[in-house]
């Protein structure tokens, strides 16, 4: 196939730039306006370059060229991104590894070496691509993210932030993949929703000091019930107390359709009248295991609180709150100073503190079944009102297809709000 005249012209220009060392000369010329800082967002060389890389690099080339012509010095240092899940997952697939524990068995050092080999798989294709598109970037002395010099530079940023009093530790609830061991961003989350049928539970929370009186709450995630620390109601929602056999149950009046048995209404009141009601915990796991400052917060647990996210669109109008396993739950837990304690490990399995559930993956349907059986067969009386299959859209990891869990991760953060005025000023 004959070469087009356009391609021939491009190649002659590229060769001319190379012969005359034009790029080097742009870096050495006088720059009366000082530095224009440009950092190349580095590609990962374990995959082929694509048309989307060309498009992004066209902008990353045009702006520094313009600034160079306007009298600035633009270093244009290139780099290689050698970290991240895409690299790890590619190597796991190559080695036939199915979990993080299998990586540990294989050997972390050996696995890291395999990853280091993988990241350079297509480096020559990237170099040819960079040259052919006329992208000026210094790849003779690139930064490489797995080298100690780069890693230490990141630690130095963190150290500097700490010295300025900007570094702090806190929890953040994230959509968490227990298989990949990572949180997902909002755009990643949107890629993995599936319509599924999960077991949902109507659980009875026994009001403290009352015989056979219960608050009725509904959840589509029975695995979060062992981590329950509170209940939420809507302040202006109408609630009723109904009599079914020997039991009295409280739920939103607008949700009486969930009750299939004959009942009689005993009382009616607003949600604000329920605030402060205390109930007996479904499980002893939190009470028995929290310690230190979190133990002091137990005095706030197992009570009814008001929350504006409570509706009567579904459920019972009473929301079960597990602070470590939902964003609304976490925010209410922080506001009410409820204990924050994990019964679930990063890999999505219950910790040993969770008794009969220890070691089991929270999203296994058998776990939901056993929680339902446990609630139904309490010696002091069943705490299960109803169970049913509920069809809803649920997020799965787009990489490995594992069901995600909403999970409070303890992480280090930089208090950027403190720098707000400085950031606005610099951006001007």
């Amino acid at each position: 196939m004959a070469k087009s005249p356009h391609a021939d012209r491009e190649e002659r220009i590229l060769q001319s730039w190379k012969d005359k060392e034009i790029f080097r000369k742009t870096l050495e010329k006088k720059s009366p306006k000082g530095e224009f800082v440009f950092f190349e967002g580095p590609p990962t060389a374990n995959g082929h370059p694509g048309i989307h890389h060309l498009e992004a690099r066209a902008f990353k080339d045009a702006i520094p060229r313009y600034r160079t012509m306007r009298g600035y010095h633009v270093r244009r240092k290139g780099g290689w991104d050698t970290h991240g899940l895409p690299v790890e997952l590619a190597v796991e697939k190559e080695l036939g590894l199915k979990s993080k524990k299998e990586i540990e068995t294989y050997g972390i050092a050996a696995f890291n070496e395999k990853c280091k080999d993988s990241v350079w798989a297509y480096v020559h294709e990237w170099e040819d691509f960079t040259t052919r598109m006329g992208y000026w970037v210094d790849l003779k002395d690139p930064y490489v993210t797995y080298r100690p010099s780069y890693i230490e530079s990141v630690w130095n940023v963190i150290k500097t932030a700490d010295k300025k009093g900007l570094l702090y530790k806190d929890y953040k609830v994230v959509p968490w993949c227990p298989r990949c061991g990572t949180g997902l961003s909002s755009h990643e989350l949107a890629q993995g929703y599936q319509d599924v049928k999960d077991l949902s539970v109507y659980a009875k929370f026994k009001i403290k000091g009352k015989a056979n009186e219960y608050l009725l709450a509904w959840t589509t995630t029975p695995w979060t019930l062992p981590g329950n620390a509170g209940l939420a109601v809507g302040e202006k929602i109408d609630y009723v107390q109904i009599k079914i056999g020997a039991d009295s149950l409280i739920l939103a009046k607008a949700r009486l359709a969930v009750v299939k048995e004959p009942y009689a209404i005993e009382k009616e009141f607003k949600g604000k009248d329920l605030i402060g009601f205390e109930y007996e915990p479904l499980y002893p796991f939190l009470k028995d295991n929290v310690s230190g400052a979190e133990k002091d917060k137990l005095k706030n647990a197992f009570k009814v609180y008001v929350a504006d996210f409570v509706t009567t669109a579904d459920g019972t109008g009473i929301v079960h709150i597990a602070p470590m396993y939902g964003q609304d739950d976490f925010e209410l837990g922080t506001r009410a100073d409820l204990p924050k304690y994990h019964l679930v490990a990063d890999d999505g399995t219950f910790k040993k503190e969770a008794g009969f559930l220890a070691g089991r993956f929270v999203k296994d349907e058998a776990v939901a079944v056993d929680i339902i059986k446990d609630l139904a067969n309490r010696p002091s009386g069943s705490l299960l009102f109803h169970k049913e299959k509920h069809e809803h859209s649920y997020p799965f990891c787009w990489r490995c297809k594992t069901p995600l869990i909403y999970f409070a991760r303890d992480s280090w953060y930089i208090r950027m709000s403190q720098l707000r005025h400085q950031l606005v000023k610099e951006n001007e």
Side-chain angles (χ1 to χ4, degrees):
M1 185 175 171
K3 189 185 296 182
S4 77
H6 302 296
D8 184 61
R9 182 178 61 189
E10 287 175 3
E11 289 177 3
R12 281 189 283 106
I13 292 171
L14 289 171
Q15 190 60 48
S16 173
W17 286 350
K18 182 179 179 182
D19 293 342
K20 296 174 183 177
E21 297 185 297
I22 301 298
F23 177 39
R24 179 182 63 79
K25 288 174 181 176
T26 69
L27 298 174
E28 294 174 351
K29 76 174 186 66
K30 290 180 180 179
S31 307
K33 291 192 176 178
E35 294 286 330
F36 179 81
V37 179
F38 169 77
F39 292 105
E40 153 77 331
T44 302
N46 73 326
H48 287 285
I51 193 70
H52 58 294
H53 295 113
L54 186 146
E55 182 181 20
R57 283 181 153 201
F59 289 104
K60 291 194 286 186
D61 193 55
I63 294 169
R65 281 179 190 253
Y66 172 74
R67 288 294 179 179
T68 298
M69 290 189 288
R70 295 290 293 174
Y72 291 90
H73 178 246
V74 189
R75 294 170 189 251
R76 307 182 73 158
K77 188 177 180 68
W80 299 105
D81 181 3
T82 55
H83 286 135
L85 271 176
V87 177
E88 291 180 28
L89 292 173
V91 173
E92 285 178 39
K93 189 174 181 181
E94 179 190 336
L95 297 174
L97 303 177
K98 300 287 191 299
S99 67
K100 301 300 178 190
K101 290 200 180 300
E102 288 187 17
I103 293 174
E104 291 172 8
T105 303
Y106 178 82
I108 292 174
F111 182 79
N112 283 346
E113 287 305 313
K114 278 280 187 185
C115 289
K116 285 181 181 179
D117 292 340
S118 171
V119 295
W120 301 115
Y122 300 103
V123 68
H124 297 303
E125 286 86 343
W126 273 96
E127 288 169 345
D128 291 345
F129 172 76
T130 301
T131 301
R132 181 62 185 82
M133 71 170 288
Y135 180 41
W136 283 353
V137 65
D138 180 10
L139 287 176
K140 289 182 180 177
D141 181 29
Y143 65 92
V144 178
T145 59
Y146 71 55
R147 288 181 181 161
S149 58
Y150 180 85
I151 295 168
E152 287 166 7
S153 73
V154 177
W155 278 112
N156 184 59
V157 170
I158 295 169
K159 180 181 178 181
T160 302
D162 187 40
K163 279 184 175 178
K164 292 182 176 181
L166 298 173
L167 195 67
Y168 68 100
K169 195 174 187 181
D170 199 0
Y171 285 105
K172 181 179 175 62
V173 175
V174 295
W176 179 257
C177 176
R179 160 64 181 80
C180 296
T182 185
L184 277 76
S185 66
S186 57
H187 78 272
E188 288 179 308
L189 189 66
Q191 295 182 61
Y193 276 92
Q194 298 178 26
D195 289 332
V196 296
K197 285 186 176 180
D198 283 328
L199 274 169
S200 67
V201 175
Y202 291 86
K204 294 155 58 179
F205 294 77
K206 190 176 186 303
I207 298 173
K208 206 168 184 181
K210 299 286 185 179
N212 302 322
E213 291 188 21
Y214 303 88
L215 296 148
L216 191 62
W218 177 70
T219 181
T220 59
T221 53
W223 66 269
T224 63
L225 288 172
N228 172 269
L231 294 172
V233 296
E235 185 176 13
K236 296 179 181 178
I237 293 175
D238 293 316
Y239 289 85
V240 291
Q241 181 173 306
I242 62 172
K243 188 79 169 176
I244 301 177
D247 290 344
S248 292
L249 306 173
I250 295 174
L251 72 162
K253 189 174 184 179
R255 297 304 302 161
L256 279 169
V258 305
V259 181
K260 307 306 179 187
E261 301 86 346
Y263 63 84
I265 294 178
E266 296 181 304
K267 296 179 187 176
E268 296 193 29
F269 32 71
K270 293 288 186 183
K272 63 182 180 181
D273 300 321
L274 293 170
I275 297 170
F277 271 42
E278 295 185 56
Y279 63 90
E280 295 175 5
L282 294 184
Y283 290 96
F285 308 140
L286 281 183
K287 205 169 55 172
D288 292 350
N289 290 289
V290 292
S291 58
E294 297 304 310
K295 190 168 186 175
D296 295 337
K297 297 177 184 178
L298 280 172
K299 64 181 181 292
N300 304 318
F302 315 120
K303 295 180 182 178
V304 176
Y305 292 90
V306 71
D308 57 12
F309 57 77
V310 180
T311 72
T312 56
D314 51 24
T316 67
I318 299 177
V319 177
H320 127 74
I321 301 299
M324 306 305 275
Y325 310 114
Q327 184 60 38
D328 287 337
D329 303 49
F330 185 82
E331 289 176 8
L332 189 150
T334 301
R335 193 166 66 247
D337 207 22
L338 299 177
K340 292 174 180 173
Y341 185 81
H342 263 306
L343 290 169
V344 178
D346 290 358
D347 64 359
T349 61
F350 282 103
K351 294 181 178 179
K352 63 181 180 181
E353 294 95 316
F356 72 100
L357 297 167
R360 301 172 66 184
F361 182 52
V362 298
K363 286 297 292 178
D364 282 344
E365 187 167 283
V367 165
V369 169
D370 284 351
I371 288 172
I372 288 167
K373 286 179 180 176
D374 178 73
L375 293 173
N377 297 302
R378 294 294 177 89
S380 57
S382 173
L383 295 179
L384 176 71
F385 182 64
H386 280 318
K387 70 179 191 302
E388 63 186 19
K389 283 279 189 175
H390 177 70
E391 186 169 355
H392 59 154
S393 185
Y394 193 86
F396 287 72
C397 178
W398 64 273
R399 295 185 181 95
C400 69
K401 312 309 177 190
T402 300
L404 303 176
I405 58 176
Y406 284 89
F407 190 81
R409 289 282 295 167
D410 62 322
S411 304
W412 289 96
Y413 297 93
I414 294 174
R415 194 174 280 105
M416 295 303 294
S417 55
Q418 228 172 279
L419 302 175
R420 178 174 179 170
H421 297 299
Q422 185 181 340
L423 288 167
V424 171
K425 184 181 176 183
E426 294 293 343
N427 274 310
E428 288 171 352

